[in-house]
Amino acid sequence: MQLVTGKKKPLVKRFAHAFRQDVGAWVLMLPSLILFIFFVWQPLVNGLILSLFETKGFDPVRFIGLQNFIDVVQESSFRAAVINTFKYTLWSLVLGFPLPILTAVMLNEVKRFKAFFRFTVYFPSIVPGVAAAILWSLIYHPTSGLLNSLLSVFGVDAIPWLQNQNLVIPCIVIMMTWKGFGSTAILYLASLQGVNQELYEAAMIDGAGVFRKFWNITLPSISGMFSLMLVMQIIGVFQVMYEPLTMTDGGPNNASISLMLTSYFYGFRFYQAGRAAAVGTITFLFLIGLTFLYFYLQRKNDN
């Protein structure tokens, strides 16, 4: 047996060799990569740098290190925003996460008028976000809103939905769920249609009921999409901004303010771009931590 000895190729040569092998794939990826660098990473890096400067408007004036972060964290509105953002996320998981799965399962069982029901479920996702927020603000209106008008038929007094500090976040999450569950349900439906139907037939022969088929066949079969949608929902809801901005302006008494809305206020109401960037950076770090925590728990569970 002949042994081949020698030094490994330098990293640059190995990279060049790999690039020549996959040059077609790199050419296809190049436009998206350029857009990603200029519209995602470049603003992200600029925001991180800006958070370390005292600003005049949106122009950096003087390097102050972590002072923007210290000033922001000491604000009572920031602490309220952190708590509320986690409340938004938890309420969205309780109210909004199971609904697309159940809707997709029902759509998958429909035999007639499939296109009509799919369009009906998907239709709220077509409505612009601000328009949906204004629509639901009218529904929640304390005197002339549709919801209180229906309650008055049953003799129930009007409820100040968006003016109640305990109800405002669940009410906003209901609006967000109505707006976004349809597109997620369609994705789940696509995953369900890829499930091997022979598994359901074998389960029926064994006498399995609807719940057992859902728990033992459906959920394991869409576990990949389930995990992806969970991470995407946490990331999306953690960045909630225009819904409380449009519906409550962060009120009442900061009861619905979020981290991204706080960043918006700093940047476009108080013109303190450094503090706005600091809040955005803190939000980014929270999201990284939550994402790594989820993948760690998932890997531990798989093992």
Side-chain angles (χ1 to χ4, degrees), residues 266-277:
Y266 275 128
F268 297 98
R269 289 195 178 178
F270 310 135
Y271 298 102
Q272 298 175 342
R275 292 190 178 186

Side-chain angles (χ1 to χ4, degrees), residues 145-203:
L146 176 62
L147 192 54
N148 280 329
S149 298
L150 292 175
L151 292 176
S152 65
V153 175
F154 301 95
V156 180
D157 294 334
I159 299 173
W161 300 100
L162 298 179
Q163 291 73 38
N164 188 313
Q165 296 186 23
N166 297 319
L167 295 177
V168 61
I169 288 181
C171 288
I172 293 176
V173 169
I174 289 173
M175 172 264 156
M176 295 166 61
T177 301
W178 175 85
K179 173 72 175 66
F181 88 98
S183 57
T184 308
I186 296 300
L187 293 175
Y188 278 122
L189 180 61
S191 296
L192 287 173
Q193 291 180 342
V195 178
N196 189 352
Q197 296 299 312
E198 294 179 357
L199 297 175
Y200 290 110
E201 295 173 1

Side-chain angles (χ1 to χ4, degrees), residues 44-168:
L44 186 64
V45 173
N46 283 352
L48 179 60
I49 295 172
L50 192 64
S51 68
L52 303 175
F53 283 82
E54 179 185 349
T55 57
K56 185 176 181 180
F58 291 92
D59 298 323
V61 176
R62 180 171 60 92
F63 179 81
I64 56 174
L66 299 177
Q67 189 60 46
N68 281 326
F69 293 88
I70 296 172
D71 293 340
V72 162
V73 170
Q74 290 177 344
E75 294 283 344
S76 60
S77 60
F78 174 81
R79 293 190 289 272
V82 173
I83 295 172
N84 290 341
T85 301
F86 278 98
K87 285 182 179 180
Y88 278 113
T89 305
L90 292 175
W91 274 109
S92 73
L93 295 178
V94 172
L95 299 177
F97 191 72
L99 184 60
I101 301 174
L102 298 176
T103 304
V105 171
M106 290 188 288
L107 288 175
N108 196 45
E109 297 297 326
V110 170
K111 303 300 181 184
R112 296 182 179 181
F113 306 109
K114 287 185 177 182
F116 170 76
F117 286 114
R118 291 176 186 175
F119 173 77
T120 304
V121 169
Y122 187 74
F123 178 75
S125 301
I126 304 174
V127 180
V130 174
I134 294 173
L135 171 65
W136 277 85
S137 296
L138 297 176
I139 293 174
Y140 287 132
H141 195 276
T143 56
S144 59
L146 176 62
L147 192 54
N148 280 329
S149 298
L150 292 175
L151 292 176
S152 65
V153 175
F154 301 95
V156 180
D157 294 334
I159 299 173
W161 300 100
L162 298 179
Q163 291 73 38
N164 188 313
Q165 296 186 23
N166 297 319
L167 295 177
V168 61

